[in-house]
């Protein structure tokens, strides 16, 4: 800063025309809600807009609406407030405590059973289910509303070997 002032003063002293302009404000485009959005709402394009913030963006701030469209809000979002990625999640298809249908398939066998969800999750998430008949806890992947696919341990090991 001191050197810049000295150069401007020296240029003015020798008769050079000096034009000083303020540095351009560095801005980052971020995603913000267009209106207040309640917790549990699935976001659409019409819920979001962009704004430019003059400061550097901290990690985890959504910079593209495609990052968050179709996701469910974890908390109430305020209009114009910077949207963070941790404020949203995949829509919950299996709620904690709900009854779900578990399916298991292996070559030559297909089984289904009911269980109670110990954890909640969205499409593709791994959840823990308690089998109602044996009271064993089973991990499975959410494949639809109230639907979980359990995988066998041997199938995972077989697919992991070259």
């Amino acid at each position: 800063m001191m050197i810049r002032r000295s150069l401007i003063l020296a240029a003015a002293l020798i008769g050079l025309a000096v034009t000083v302009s303020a540095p351009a404000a560095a801005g980052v485009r971020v995603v913000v809600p267009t209106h207040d959005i309640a917790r549990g709402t699935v976001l659409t394009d019409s819920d979001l807009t962009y704004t430019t913030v003059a400061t550097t963006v901290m990690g985890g701030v959504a910079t593209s609406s495609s990052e968050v469209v179709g996701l469910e809000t974890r908390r109430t979002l305020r209009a114009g407030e910077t949207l963070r990625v941790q404020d949203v999640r995949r829509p919950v298809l299996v709620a904690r405590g709900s009854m779900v249908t578990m399916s298991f398939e292996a070559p030559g066998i297909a089984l289904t059973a009911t269980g109670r969800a110990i954890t909640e999750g969205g499409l593709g998430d791994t959840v823990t289910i308690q089998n109602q008949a044996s009271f064993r806890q089973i991990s499975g992947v959410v494949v639809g509303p109230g639907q979980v696919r359990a995988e066998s341990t041997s199938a995972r090991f077989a697919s992991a070997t070259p």
Side-chain angles (χ1 to χ4, degrees):
M1 188 69 148
M2 181 89 159
I3 294 172
R4 181 177 177 182
R5 285 185 186 161
S6 298
L7 289 174
I8 292 170
L9 181 59
L13 287 174
I14 61 172
L16 296 175
V18 177
T19 304
V20 179
S21 61
V28 178
R29 193 173 88 153
V30 295
V31 178
V32 295
T34 57
H35 55 89
D36 289 354
I37 301 172
R39 179 179 186 259
T41 303
V42 176
L43 296 174
T44 64
D45 277 326
S46 64
D47 293 324
L48 306 170
T49 190
Y50 292 97
T51 190
T52 302
V53 292
T55 60
T56 59
V57 175
M58 294 174 42
V61 174
T63 56
S64 171
S65 62
S66 63
E67 293 178 62
V68 294
V69 167
L71 299 179
E72 178 181 68
T73 59
R74 290 181 185 265
R75 65 178 184 87
T76 299
L77 304 178
R78 302 287 175 216
E81 186 178 89
T82 304
L83 181 62
R84 297 171 299 165
V85 176
Q86 66 258 23
D87 292 337
V88 293
R89 64 177 175 194
R90 293 185 207 145
V92 173
L93 299 178
V94 171
R96 184 176 50 232
S98 66
M99 296 301 290
V100 298
T101 301
M102 301 179 293
S103 62
F104 172 79
E105 293 184 21
I109 189 168
L111 301 171
T112 59
T114 59
R116 184 170 306 279
I118 305 290
T119 58
E120 67 181 15
L123 187 65
D125 290 341
T126 300
V127 294
T128 303
I129 306 298
Q130 183 180 41
N131 185 318
Q132 292 300 98
S134 67
F135 297 103
R136 292 184 65 176
Q137 290 187 358
I138 300 163
S139 292
V141 177
V142 177
V143 294
Q147 301 286 319
V148 176
R149 183 187 70 237
E151 295 180 346
S152 75
T153 308
S154 60
R156 275 188 269 147
F157 290 129
S159 64
T161 57

